[in-house]
Amino acid sequence: MLDAARVLDLLRERGIVFHLYEHQAVDNAQAAADVRALMAGVICKSLFLRGKDGSLWLVTVPLDARVDLKTLGRKLGCGRLAFGDADAMMRHLGVRPGSVTPLAVLNDARGAVRLVMDEGLFSLPLINVHPLRNTMSVDIDPHSVAQLAAEYGHEPLRLAGIRADILPDG
């Protein structure tokens, strides 16, 4: 399993431009909001989810987005979604709650977890995610995150309408 240092090395080796921030532990949305002023990119949150059919999903959206799990489960065709458990998260992604990030799919060599990124993230110049540790964050181009994930066999599903605050009624 990769750790934060190895992920940062991978970014450097591939010539991916990023800015690293070291900060207090950020293990929830409020803590992220507290360090937001330090960072240039849009802070993201990633949700580790399990479908009713047993499928595993890692969904990345802007920090302030509300996600309607019922609607998202229908869009993904996996039945109702619920939060995945910490043991499965560690087993598949090598991270603990609070450190979840789209970069964690680099640890999922078996391809058990499907990465989903909000389509709107790709219109942003920079997003801010953890490099597997919640005391660090990187500002990085979302296309670079997607490309690196794809290199590791996790082509992200770019999905519009994940955010409950922009979903149509019905």
Side-chain angles (χ1 to χ4, degrees), residues 41-63:
V42 171
I43 298 176
C44 293
K45 64 182 173 186
S46 293
L47 310 174
F48 180 64
L49 304 170
R50 180 180 181 89
K52 186 174 182 176
D53 64 0
S55 57
L56 296 173
W57 303 88
L58 183 59
V59 177
T60 300
V61 297
L63 177 65

Side-chain angles (χ1 to χ4, degrees), residues 4-170:
R6 183 63 187 128
V7 167
L8 294 171
D9 287 345
L10 281 172
L11 296 174
R12 289 181 190 105
E13 289 167 11
R14 285 172 170 69
I16 296 172
V17 176
F18 66 93
H19 182 86
L20 176 66
Y21 301 92
E22 295 191 53
H23 48 72
Q24 67 197 34
V26 175
D27 54 9
N28 59 49
Q30 181 56 51
D34 292 343
V35 298
R36 178 182 297 194
L38 302 173
M39 301 170 209
V42 171
I43 298 176
C44 293
K45 64 182 173 186
S46 293
L47 310 174
F48 180 64
L49 304 170
R50 180 180 181 89
K52 186 174 182 176
D53 64 0
S55 57
L56 296 173
W57 303 88
L58 183 59
V59 177
T60 300
V61 297
L63 177 65
D64 296 332
R66 291 185 356 251
V67 178
D68 180 336
L69 297 182
K70 184 177 178 183
T71 301
L72 181 57
R74 277 197 308 263
K75 282 182 173 242
L76 297 174
C78 63
R80 188 169 183 88
L81 288 164
F83 288 94
D85 66 72
D87 289 338
M89 183 187 303
M90 179 54 82
R91 187 171 54 256
H92 296 290
L93 301 176
V95 295
R96 299 195 184 289
S99 293
V100 186
T101 168
L103 296 171
V105 297
L106 304 181
N107 280 328
D108 181 30
R110 291 179 287 178
V113 181
R114 182 73 198 267
L115 177 60
V116 179
M117 294 178 72
D118 185 325
E119 178 66 35
L121 295 175
F122 294 95
S123 66
L124 301 171
L126 295 172
I127 61 172
N128 189 276
V129 298
H130 295 308
L132 306 187
R133 189 180 325 151
N134 69 354
T135 58
M136 299 176 169
S137 296
V138 292
D139 280 332
I140 189 168
D141 174 8
H143 297 278
S144 295
V145 172
Q147 180 179 344
L148 186 58
E151 287 177 25
Y152 276 73
H154 287 68
E155 181 74 37
L157 173 59
R158 294 169 52 156
L159 189 61
I162 294 174
R163 297 168 49 167
D165 50 328
I166 61 171
L167 288 173
D169 292 335

